[in-house]
Amino acid sequence: DAMGEEAANKSPFKVDIPWDPDVNKVDYNETFFKFFFPSLAGKAKLLDKWLSDPRCPRYDTAKNDKIVFHREDDEDPDKLIRLCITLMIVGSLKVQNGVENLWKRGPSEGFEPHANFGQFIPANYFECFVAGFPFLWCDEKYWYTDPKLLPWEVVLPFFDECNSKRNTLLAVIYLLLDESMSGWRP
């Protein structure tokens, strides 16, 4: 093993992150957003602005369903963005027969009942969120560009903020070179 004994016995975290094997004692969703995910401050208002333009692919849905993400009077005006990100992560663990099945409820064909995401947020809200999420960190000049012509500058601010969070959170103890790379393309 190339990792020294000192590194093997040291926590990789620069800050003390709450943890307990009993998931009811720690709000891991709050921990995720506080320590690992880029700031969501103002993102709901930004998504509402993106949805309010007739050039937006979900403009009609947002207008007809009166979809508004920013909740000015709430303690956390960006809570619907946080909820949608949480559902996106949970949904990645549940999707078997398509995203639309995440809003079904009752018994499914498998061992678990349908996810029933509708108890948390309507499907149209989530569709609007998914359409606008990639643009929440980029310059507004890219918002209504043909998706085939979008440059990496659209997602770089998001990744830069993710890396900044990691740099303040994690201490590099052991460096491993790897040939893997992201397959996602804007």
Side-chain angles (χ1 to χ4, degrees):
D1 188 1
M3 187 193 262
E5 188 175 325
E6 181 182 326
N9 295 321
K10 185 178 176 186
S11 170
F13 296 113
K14 294 179 182 177
V15 296
D16 188 27
I17 295 177
W19 182 85
D20 195 289
D22 182 351
V23 296
N24 296 315
K25 292 183 178 178
V26 177
D27 183 346
Y28 287 109
N29 200 46
E30 181 181 325
T31 299
F32 172 72
F33 286 109
K34 182 177 181 182
F35 294 106
F36 294 91
F37 203 81
S39 172
L40 297 177
K43 300 304 181 192
K45 191 177 270 191
L46 206 57
L47 183 56
D48 288 341
K49 183 178 179 182
W50 182 80
L51 288 165
S52 70
D53 191 298
R55 295 174 292 170
C56 172
R58 293 285 186 261
Y59 171 77
D60 289 333
T61 302
K63 183 179 174 187
N64 294 338
D65 292 356
K66 298 176 177 62
I67 293 175
V68 178
F69 283 88
H70 181 75
R71 306 298 166 114
E72 188 69 43
D73 297 329
D74 283 356
E75 183 179 326
D76 177 7
D78 298 296
K79 74 179 182 182
L80 289 182
I81 300 292
R82 189 179 323 278
L83 174 65
C84 286
I85 291 168
T86 302
L87 292 178
M88 187 168 54
I89 293 167
V90 171
S92 70
L93 304 172
K94 298 227 174 251
V95 175
Q96 296 173 7
N97 297 320
V99 174
E100 65 280 353
N101 285 323
L102 294 173
W103 273 262
K104 285 185 178 179
R105 59 184 174 173
S108 71
E109 300 80 34
F111 294 110
E112 292 185 25
H114 285 291
N116 190 16
F117 279 14
Q119 66 184 311
F120 305 110
I121 197 164
N124 283 347
Y125 264 81
F126 190 74
E127 288 172 8
C128 287
F129 163 77
V130 169
F133 179 74
F135 301 103
L136 294 181
W137 281 266
C138 75
D139 191 305
E140 291 183 25
K141 70 182 181 183
Y142 298 117
W143 280 9
Y144 308 108
T145 304
D146 180 345
K148 295 175 191 165
L149 304 175
L150 288 173
W152 277 105
E153 284 77 14
V154 172
V155 294
L156 282 178
F158 174 79
F159 288 125
D160 287 344
E161 199 168 328
C162 284
N163 287 334
S164 176
K165 278 271 195 174
R166 287 184 182 174
N167 286 336
T168 59
L169 177 68
L170 298 170
V172 177
I173 313 173
Y174 185 63
L175 189 59
L176 175 68
L177 298 177
D178 190 1
E179 295 179 19
S180 66
M181 57 190 290
S182 174
W184 188 81
R185 179 182 165 174

